[in-house]
Amino acid sequence: MAFTEDDLLPISALQHLLYCERQCALIHIERVWEENLFTTDGRILHEKVDAGEDCVRAGKRIARSVSLRSLQLGLSGVADVVEFGPDAGDVYPVEYKRGRSKRANWDRIQLCAQAMSLEEMLGVPVTEGALFYGKTRRREAVAFDAALRGETVRAAARLHQLVDARHTPPAHYEASRCDACSLINLCMPRLPGKTNVRKYLAAMAEIDEETA
């Protein structure tokens, strides 16, 4: 099944989905957002990368902020950096992340979606890319093998399913994820039943007005 331009969802939403489906729904269905130290660090890192100019280095053309689209996955977004080698099929996406490498595949799946988008746009195979982590200042090479591609396809399908349903999953507190999430005060994972943040905040505002 191919998607249309109107169906496209952000590639970055894949990481939100895989980190926490409730977080993903709050951002991409209820349209709420709040910064914390971690998101601010990540935003600043991306701004520094985006501020750089395209150039040629060691025989490779370095392109920044490359627009991406995949009608097969139903995704669109921007690659931080894409390196183009001297050969037509030498395409190497690089995604910048704060922190360090993770055991889970969240970042790798986001990068793989970028690679699959480039393949669809350019008509060439993209077999490898890299994640650059701000904490370690090192690249982690990522091979886009069949297993990772399968995870990426399933994640994209689940993202569309979640957004199309227009339903925010209930909160489930998990310290390792919730305490680092910038939306914890809006999500309220320790309070059961608060599945729709906008309705809850609107109700709280009405109560405040009545008691003022």
Side-chain angles (χ1 to χ4, degrees):
M1 166 184 170
F3 293 89
T4 69
E5 295 281 353
D6 293 336
D7 298 325
L8 302 183
L9 297 173
I11 292 176
S12 59
L14 292 175
Q15 190 181 52
H16 300 145
L17 175 86
L18 296 166
Y19 184 80
C20 170
E21 290 200 357
R22 178 170 170 82
Q23 182 201 66
C24 182
L26 291 175
I27 296 171
H28 300 284
I29 296 175
E30 301 201 25
R31 304 293 182 182
V32 297
W33 178 252
E34 193 166 290
E35 292 268 19
N36 67 2
L37 176 63
F38 303 125
T39 60
T40 300
D41 282 349
R43 177 173 53 78
I44 291 172
L45 175 62
H46 281 90
E47 287 174 353
K48 288 180 179 179
V49 175
D50 295 341
E53 296 183 355
D54 293 0
C55 63
V56 176
R57 185 184 305 150
K60 293 185 177 182
R61 181 167 66 87
I62 312 298
R64 301 176 186 274
S65 300
V66 178
S67 296
L68 303 173
R69 183 201 67 175
S70 170
L71 295 181
Q72 292 300 313
L73 295 174
L75 301 173
S76 65
V78 176
D80 289 333
V81 169
V82 180
E83 299 176 352
F84 296 91
D87 298 327
D90 189 359
V91 180
Y92 196 87
V94 182
E95 175 70 9
Y96 283 67
K97 295 289 185 183
R98 62 162 301 279
R100 58 182 72 247
S101 179
K102 305 172 184 65
R103 183 176 299 176
N105 269 345
W106 311 325
D107 295 344
R108 300 177 191 94
I109 286 173
Q110 182 181 350
L111 182 66
C112 187
Q114 294 181 5
M116 294 172 73
S117 298
L118 286 166
E119 287 179 332
E120 188 177 321
M121 294 166 62
L122 302 176
V124 298
V126 181
T127 59
E128 188 176 289
L131 295 162
F132 179 88
Y133 286 98
K135 189 77 171 180
T136 59
R137 308 297 297 175
R138 290 183 179 179
R139 283 188 177 189
E140 174 192 315
V142 178
F144 305 125
D145 58 20
L148 185 60
R149 289 170 182 267
E151 285 189 74
T152 304
V153 170
R154 290 190 292 274
R158 175 56 188 152
L159 175 63
H160 277 275
Q161 183 183 45
L162 178 71
V163 172
D164 290 346
R166 312 302 298 175
H167 173 71
T168 301
H172 173 69
Y173 179 72
E174 185 178 331
S176 61
R177 299 193 189 194
C178 295
D179 290 349
C181 179
S182 69
L183 301 184
I184 188 169
N185 292 327
L186 295 173
C187 173
M188 298 168 288
R190 293 186 178 88
L191 296 178
K194 301 298 187 296
T195 59
N196 188 302
V197 171
R198 286 197 178 278
K199 288 182 179 178
Y200 177 75
L201 293 178
M204 291 301 98
E206 289 180 6
I207 292 172
D208 289 342
E209 288 179 2
E210 292 173 358
T211 58

